[in-house]
């Protein structure tokens, strides 16, 4: 089996995922079930920006933790005048993000680096916002990642994080009875560990942050899976070319698995914000 470490996984799938997920490598938030995916994925970025108070002042220094191919970072630079440092563990991601920045009118305001968010090596107190968009599920040591966000935030700075979460703590029975489903998810999405939102709140507090709000977006996020399935059908040839017939089939099948897990209440999509006291 190919390596499912997040860096290897993302290096392998990024080109295909541009067909399947689009330029934003995250879920969408839908106001109507039949909206285009790009409208909904941009809405999640806007929703995060509202909760993270990106519009508080121009020129905010943002650490984008797990920056994908740079689309959210460029959006924050263009919309809120933010100065963004994006980090990702995938070299493919860094290369593509830099290429997109070079072609963007706000490219001067974004920098992309290859770094592990669990030990990012960046200077303490050097950011006003930590932006963690759908990357934490890929990190085995989430408390370390959140502690790194807290360390690199300036006093008064804010963390905003969204991701897939467990709707309730998983029992051993849940895991055993769905071994096939979880295995398929691992093949399609790489090695991931989800956690309930409460756990994130606890890690924030342990890192010295004060939790401000938590929002469940599960119901509004669910139509994302319909769009991904449509993309898998519409772009089958291109995707198979990039990740093979098995990779394409695993992705399509994993959408159905995710839908079931959402409906059973085992998975959801959530957002949390916290701040570092002055
Ligand atoms: N935030 C982006 C990308 C989400 S995909 C967007 O919304 O478009 C998840 C991202 O997390 C990928 O870029 C992946 O390389 C990155 N990632 C996974 N593990 C990481 C780690 N330990 N440190 C930094 N980035 C990581």
């Amino acid at each position: 089996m190919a390596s499912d470490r997040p860096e290897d996984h993302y290096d392998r799938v990024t080109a295909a995922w541009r067909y399947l997920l689009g330029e934003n490598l995250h879920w969408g938030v839908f106001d109507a079930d039949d909206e285009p995916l790009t409208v909904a994925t941009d809405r999640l970025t806007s929703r995060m920006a509202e909760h993270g108070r990106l519009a508080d002042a121009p020129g905010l220094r943002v650490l984008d933790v797990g920056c994908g191919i740079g689309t959210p970072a460029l959006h924050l630079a263009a919309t809120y005048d933010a100065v963004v440092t994006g980090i990702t563990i995938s070299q493919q991601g860094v290369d593509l993000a830099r290429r997109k920045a070079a072609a963007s009118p706000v490219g001067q305001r974004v920098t992309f680096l290859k770094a592990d968010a669990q030990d990012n090596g960046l200077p303490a107190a050097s950011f006003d916002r930590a932006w963690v968009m759908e990357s934490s599920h890929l990190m085995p040591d989430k408390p370390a990642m959140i502690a790194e966000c807290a360390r690199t935030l300036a006093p008064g700075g804010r963390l905003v994080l969204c991701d897939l979460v467990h709707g309730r703590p998983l029992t051993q029975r849940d895991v055993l009875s769905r071994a096939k489903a979880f295995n398929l998810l691992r093949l399609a999405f790489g090695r991931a560990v989800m956690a309930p939102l409460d756990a994130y709140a606890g890690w924030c507090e342990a890192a010295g942050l004060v939790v401000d709000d938590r929002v469940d977006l599960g119901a509004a996020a669910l139509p994302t899976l319909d769009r991904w399935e449509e993309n898998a059908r519409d772009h089958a040839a291109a995707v198979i070319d990039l990740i093979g017939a098995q990779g394409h089939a695993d992705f399509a099948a994993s959408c159905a698995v995710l839908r079931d897990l959402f409906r059973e209440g085992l998975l959801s999509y959530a957002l949390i914000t916290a701040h570092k006291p002055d």
Side-chain angles (χ1 to χ4, degrees):
M1 187 185 115
S3 161
D4 63 359
R5 293 192 314 162
E7 54 272 49
D8 299 329
H9 180 78
Y10 272 85
D11 282 349
R12 190 167 58 244
V13 301
T14 295
W17 278 21
R18 291 174 90 178
Y19 287 105
L20 296 166
L21 276 67
E23 294 299 303
N24 281 303
L25 301 182
H26 57 243
W27 289 54
V29 172
F30 289 77
D31 277 353
D33 283 2
D34 58 356
E35 280 182 322
L37 184 60
T38 51
V39 171
T41 51
D42 282 345
R43 185 175 293 117
L44 177 60
T45 308
S46 305
R47 203 56 84 75
M48 250 186 106
E50 275 162 38
H51 283 273
R53 295 177 41 181
L54 267 290
D56 271 7
L60 288 177
R61 299 160 298 169
V62 179
L63 174 61
D64 181 358
V65 176
C67 63
I69 55 174
T71 310
L74 287 165
H75 178 93
L76 298 182
T79 311
Y80 305 100
D81 219 14
V83 178
V84 188
T85 302
I87 59 171
T88 170
I89 205 162
S90 159
Q91 187 60 49
Q92 275 283 332
V94 172
D95 294 345
L96 278 166
R98 286 184 180 158
R99 224 172 294 155
K100 281 165 76 95
S104 159
V106 294
Q108 302 289 359
R109 307 179 72 80
V110 298
T111 310
F112 296 105
L113 308 170
K114 184 166 187 281
D116 187 332
Q118 299 156 118
D119 180 12
N120 66 33
L122 295 165
S126 54
F127 293 98
D128 305 301
R129 299 288 183 270
W131 172 278
V132 191
M133 189 171 210
E134 214 173 300
S135 56
S136 67
H137 68 282
L138 298 159
M139 300 177 199
D141 196 347
K142 293 180 229 316
M145 179 273 287
I146 290 177
E148 280 292 80
C149 290
R151 182 184 67 78
T152 49
L153 277 175
R158 293 176 178 279
L159 166 87
V160 55
L161 178 151
C162 68
D163 214 330
L164 285 166
V165 293
H166 282 314
R168 58 171 170 81
L170 252 58
T171 62
Q172 205 182 7
R173 192 150 168 247
D174 290 325
V175 177
L176 289 176
S177 64
R178 294 170 185 81
K180 253 176 93 174
F182 285 117
N183 193 41
L184 183 66
L185 291 183
R186 191 165 171 154
L187 288 173
F189 294 100
R191 192 184 302 171
V193 188
M194 268 75 88
L197 197 59
D198 280 351
Y200 281 92
W203 296 324
C204 287
E205 281 158 15
L209 301 175
V210 178
V211 175
D212 296 313
D213 63 357
R214 317 162 181 215
V215 189
D216 188 280
L217 298 169
L222 199 53
T224 305
L225 296 168
D226 301 338
R227 297 297 98 75
W228 288 357
E229 283 171 336
E230 287 159 17
N231 285 341
R233 276 196 298 272
D234 293 349
H235 302 291
V239 171
I240 288 170
D241 224 32
L242 289 163
I243 55 170
Q246 191 63 52
H248 175 264
D250 288 345
F251 180 88
S254 71
C255 291
V257 164
L258 284 167
R259 188 179 290 111
D260 286 347
L261 292 172
F262 264 68
R263 291 198 171 137
E264 288 174 86
L266 282 184
L267 273 190
S268 191
Y269 201 96
L271 185 154
I272 185 166
T273 59
H275 71 272
K276 182 166 173 171
D278 282 320

